[in-house]
Amino acid sequence: MTDKELIEIAVKSKDRSLADYSHFRVGAAIVTDEGKVYHGANIENASYSLTMCAERTAIFTALVEGERNFKTIAIASDSKSFISPCGACRQVLYEHCGEDLDVIMTNSAGDYKKVKIKDLLPFGFSDKDLNK
Ligand code: THU
């Protein structure tokens, strides 16, 4: 799975977005170490704070399918700016994918930036910090 292929899936996933309130469609696609891809889109609710972001829709879908090892997530929106995961999504991705997850942030012109989740969430908190 190339970066471009993963981005294409994220872009297509925007069509599944339910964004009646913000009209800001987001799609995401996450690939496992074995090359399996799970996609997601943002799902909004009339009780606005219950909204679920595209990134978490994708990772949660993968997790309930039993996946635990992830390589890259691609995110797409209709914005000219590079779409960047919110704080809540950074936390969830950091814990369930590990600090070396690659995050691909795209813009509507088709450009992209690829960064590690540890660079988006420096000094991130995870299960290791619970000192179990
Ligand atoms: N949103 C995402 O799905 N992912 C992001 O990375 C940023 C924001 C969604 C949440 C909400 O449905 C809409 O975009 C506007 O914030």
Side-chain angles (χ1 to χ4, degrees):
M1 172 70 44
T2 65
D3 288 350
K4 290 264 159 74
E5 287 169 336
L6 195 65
I7 289 168
E8 241 172 67
I9 297 169
V11 168
K12 276 202 192 107
S13 296
K14 277 188 306 174
D15 294 342
R16 298 292 172 89
S17 165
L18 299 177
D20 284 354
Y21 305 102
S22 73
H23 304 290
F24 190 82
R25 302 182 312 151
V26 185
I30 190 162
V31 63
T32 67
D33 286 350
E34 292 77 34
K36 191 142 188 225
V37 179
Y38 294 85
H39 71 106
N42 55 328
I43 309 291
E44 298 187 347
N45 191 282
S47 179
Y48 300 159
S49 65
L50 300 182
T51 290
M52 184 55 61
C53 292
E55 297 90 322
R56 275 177 289 158
T57 309
I59 178 75
F60 290 156
T61 301
L63 289 170
V64 293
E65 289 299 327
E67 302 291 355
R68 293 294 182 269
N69 300 302
F70 302 97
K71 195 170 173 338
T72 309
I73 187 167
I75 315 161
S77 79
D78 299 313
S79 172
K80 287 182 193 158
S81 310
F82 290 98
I83 177 73
S84 169
C86 77
C89 288
R90 290 177 195 208
Q91 177 65 34
V92 170
L93 292 170
Y94 185 90
E95 171 151 358
H96 290 291
C97 305
E99 61 177 21
D100 287 319
L101 178 77
D102 286 313
V103 180
I104 296 176
M105 302 178 292
T106 68
N107 67 15
S108 57
D111 309 313
Y112 70 93
K113 288 181 184 171
K114 189 173 175 178
V115 295
K116 296 276 180 201
I117 190 71
K118 66 182 168 198
D119 296 321
L120 293 176
L121 190 69
F123 303 101
F125 178 80
S126 76
D127 56 340
K128 291 178 198 78
D129 299 301
L130 291 174
N131 298 317
K132 291 183 278 186

